[in-house]
């Protein structure tokens, strides 16, 4: 479990991150026409039986989209869900193609920065050990 | 993936003791996975370094930021605004990530927080083993999936050398398995021993300049006719 940051300094840093990326986030969220073309280029989507929660657009809208709309003021359980979406369901391989030129990895990276400030991030010793080989 | 280990704290102090404002930049890629340079480790570095500064009667303002992948220009621009306020940067990425930061932010000293160790595999949490030296001419197809460059003490391409102990260990140490014995056993199991009966030409180690890789299909984009 990560330690959760509730201090105002962290919230200020989050506001700062969102402020710097405001134009990109706003434009991307409004430009997405939900065509799902991005999903075809996402190997995570394709290798997970085309589960719609792996669709790049879904990951963006439900991570940075939610964070942006609520100015980062989400509950811990919401941050926990976002963490799964942007770490377990995206590896930031930058292979997703959006015909409108939306940079999905940049948006997900931005959501990760916010989550990190909030104390939600993937630690690579939290999963159970793999089998002995 | 790339595996790394934190440098001794004293070395990092020595590199940065002349600075009052230090930005510690973690990497969300390989060095997070090997528990050397992710969010938590970079925060620990900040705590430990601040303590050492205090013990030496100095004070420094140290901040932490994690870039998702320091080897990618796409992500390193995230610190562009921030970096102006710091005298130097400590990067907890692999050597490639450190160099991209140093190249992008030329006027700032960028110091490595880690020693980049090898390309390796995850045996368990916090336990990694070297398995590839990125030789550029992978032999695994002939050697039963065991790397002779990494696992043979002499990096022989046509082994064994003749020094294999009777228990299958290497002559350099009885604790070290002979890679070529393992290669032979693996190939025998797969009925492929003929794979190592022909002589493989020596690797050309002479080209020591930094390598560049252009994937096929991208030649026209990067190679000027
Ligand atoms: S960056 Fe993420 S969303 Fe894009 S293709 Fe890779 S895994 Fe899929
Ligand atoms: S900068 Fe180095 S450690 Fe970070 S993702 Fe790239 S290769 Fe891995
Ligand atoms: S032969 Fe060994 S060092 Fe060379 S590429 Fe293959 S695994 Fe890596």
């Amino acid at each position: 479990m990560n330690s959760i940051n509730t201090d105002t300094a962290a919230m200020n840093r989050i506001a700062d991150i969102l402020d710097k990326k405001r134009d990109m986030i706003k434009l991307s969220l409004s430009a997405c026409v939900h065509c799902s073309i991005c999903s075809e280029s996402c190997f995570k989507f394709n290798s997970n039986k085309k589960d719609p929660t792996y669709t790049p657009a879904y990951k963006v809208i439900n991570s940075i989209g939610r964070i942006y709309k609520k100015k980062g003021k989400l509950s811990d359980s919401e941050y926990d869900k976002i963490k799964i979406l942007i770490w377990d369901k995206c590896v930031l391989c930058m292979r997703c193609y959006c015909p409108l030129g939306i940079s999905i990895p940049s948006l997900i990276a931005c959501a990760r920065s916010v989550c990190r400030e909030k104390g939600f991030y993937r630690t690579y010793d939290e999963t159970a050990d793999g089998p002995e080989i | 993936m790339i595996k790394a280990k934190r440098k001794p704290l004293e070395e990092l102090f020595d590199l940065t003791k002349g600075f009052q404002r230090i930005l510690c930049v973690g990497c969300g890629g390989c060095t997070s996975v090997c528990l050397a340079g992710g969010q938590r480790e970079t925060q620990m570095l900040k705590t430990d370094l601040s303590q050492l500064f205090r013990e030496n009667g100095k004070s420094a303002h140290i901040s932490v930021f994690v870039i998702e992948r320091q080897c990618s220009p796409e992500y390193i621009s995230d610190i562009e605004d921030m970096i102006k306020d710091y005298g130097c940067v400590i990067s907890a990425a692999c050597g490639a990530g450190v160099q991209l930061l140093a190249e992008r932010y030329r006027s700032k000293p960028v110091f490595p927080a880690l020693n980049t160790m090898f390309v390796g595999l995850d045996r368990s949490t916090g336990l990694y083993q070297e398995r590839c030296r990125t030789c550029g001419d992978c032999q695994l197809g002939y050697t039963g999936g065991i790397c002779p460059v990494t696992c043979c003490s002499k990096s022989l391409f046509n082994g064994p050398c003749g020094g294999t102990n009777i228990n299958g260990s290497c002559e350099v140490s009885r604790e070290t398995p002979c890679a070529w014995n393992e290669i032979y056993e693996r190939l025998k199991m797969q009925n492929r021993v003929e794979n190592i009966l022909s002589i493989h030409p020596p690797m050309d180690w002479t080209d020591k300049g930094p390598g560049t890789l252009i994937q096929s299909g991208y030649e026209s984009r990067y190679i000027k006719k």
Side-chain angles (χ1 to χ4, degrees):
Chain A
M1 187 68 184
N2 305 145
S3 58
I4 318 296
N5 256 336
T6 49
D7 60 71
T8 41
M11 287 315 289
N12 288 343
R13 285 195 299 271
I14 289 170
D16 209 37
I17 292 169
L18 294 175
D19 203 42
K20 275 184 198 132
K21 305 272 176 169
R22 178 195 308 266
D23 292 348
M24 177 189 64
I25 300 169
K26 260 178 90 172
L27 188 64
S28 306
L29 291 174
S30 61
C32 176
V33 290
H34 306 275
C35 63
S36 288
I37 291 179
C38 56
S39 52
E40 293 310 314
S41 50
C42 175
F43 87 96
K44 281 292 230 179
F45 172 76
N46 286 308
S47 61
N48 281 282
K49 302 184 182 135
K50 301 192 188 272
D51 174 345
T53 66
Y54 283 82
T55 307
Y58 178 93
K59 293 182 267 193
V60 165
I61 292 162
N62 290 284
S63 60
I64 195 65
R66 286 198 56 69
I67 291 169
Y68 180 74
K69 278 194 190 114
K70 297 270 174 148
K71 299 189 169 72
K73 292 180 188 120
L74 299 174
S75 68
D76 288 355
S77 70
E78 279 178 292
Y79 269 112
D80 231 8
K81 281 191 198 130
I82 291 175
K83 177 184 150 190
I84 291 169
L85 210 54
I86 59 178
W87 264 281
D88 297 6
K89 297 192 176 185
C90 173
V91 295
L92 287 185
C93 65
M94 301 197 283
R95 288 173 73 171
C96 30
Y97 166 74
C98 165
L100 294 169
I102 297 173
S103 176
I104 291 151
S106 304
L107 291 159
I108 292 181
C110 181
R112 285 195 185 185
S113 296
V114 172
C115 287
R116 287 180 187 283
E117 291 297 350
K118 202 62 195 147
F120 288 86
Y121 52 88
R122 170 128 193 232
T123 56
Y124 290 85
D125 54 1
E126 69 192 10
T127 44
D129 287 352
E132 283 290 321
I133 14 175
Chain B
M1 256 184 171
I2 292 171
K3 304 299 174 196
K5 197 177 172 10
R6 190 166 99 180
K7 277 184 173 293
L9 203 56
E10 293 68 27
E11 185 182 339
L12 293 173
F13 174 70
D14 209 43
L15 287 166
T16 56
K17 62 181 182 231
F19 296 90
Q20 261 96 53
R21 291 182 67 82
I22 301 167
L23 181 60
C24 285
V25 186
C27 180
C30 320
T31 59
S32 281
V33 178
C34 68
L35 312 178
Q39 181 89 42
R40 198 178 41 191
E41 296 77 38
T42 318
Q43 263 151 0
M44 274 159 57
L45 172 63
K46 169 190 163 166
T47 309
D48 296 348
L49 198 57
S50 304
Q51 170 79 15
L52 198 55
F53 265 78
R54 275 196 298 277
E55 282 170 14
N56 283 275
K58 288 176 169 286
S59 76
H61 175 88
I62 306 177
S63 302
V64 166
F65 189 85
V66 175
I67 290 176
E68 293 308 325
R69 268 213 297 286
Q70 280 191 39
C71 53
S72 165
E74 172 94 20
Y75 301 119
I76 63 164
S77 56
D78 279 356
I79 57 165
E80 195 167 322
D81 292 334
M82 238 179 153
I83 204 167
K84 296 185 206 97
D85 300 333
Y86 295 88
C88 73
V89 176
I90 302 180
S91 159
C94 70
V98 174
Q99 289 183 63
L100 189 59
L101 274 195
E103 184 185 300
R104 173 73 181 73
Y105 302 107
R106 281 166 195 270
S107 62
K108 295 283 168 195
V110 179
F111 303 115
L114 311 179
N115 288 325
T116 306
M117 305 300 288
F118 48 73
V119 174
L121 47 84
D122 302 1
R123 281 293 182 207
S124 189
T125 308
L127 178 66
Y128 316 105
Q129 277 178 342
E130 183 176 17
R131 276 300 181 271
C132 176
R133 292 202 181 150
T134 64
C135 71
D137 186 10
C138 192
Q139 301 295 309
L140 294 175
Y142 307 105
T143 57
I146 296 166
C147 172
V149 184
T150 315
C151 301
C152 165
S153 305
K154 299 164 190 168
S155 295
L156 293 180
F157 265 37
N158 298 281
C161 63
T164 316
N165 294 319
I166 198 83
N167 68 346
S169 64
C170 170
E171 67 175 348
V172 303
S173 149
R174 296 192 86 81
E175 309 305 315
T176 308
C178 164
W180 277 97
N181 181 57
E182 292 190 333
I183 290 169
Y184 170 76
E185 293 294 344
R186 178 87 52 90
L187 290 173
K188 193 168 83 173
M189 185 199 284
Q190 298 175 1
N191 293 319
R192 293 202 297 138
V193 173
E194 71 281 2
N195 274 231
I196 51 169
L197 294 181
S198 53
I199 303 292
H200 289 275
M203 172 71 73
D204 181 5
W205 296 108
T206 52
D207 179 14
K208 291 284 197 291
T212 300
L213 169 68
I214 300 173
Q215 290 296 14
S216 55
Y218 288 82
E219 294 86 348
S220 61
R221 192 185 291 189
Y222 303 111
I223 302 171
K224 301 258 177 312
K225 292 249 166 60

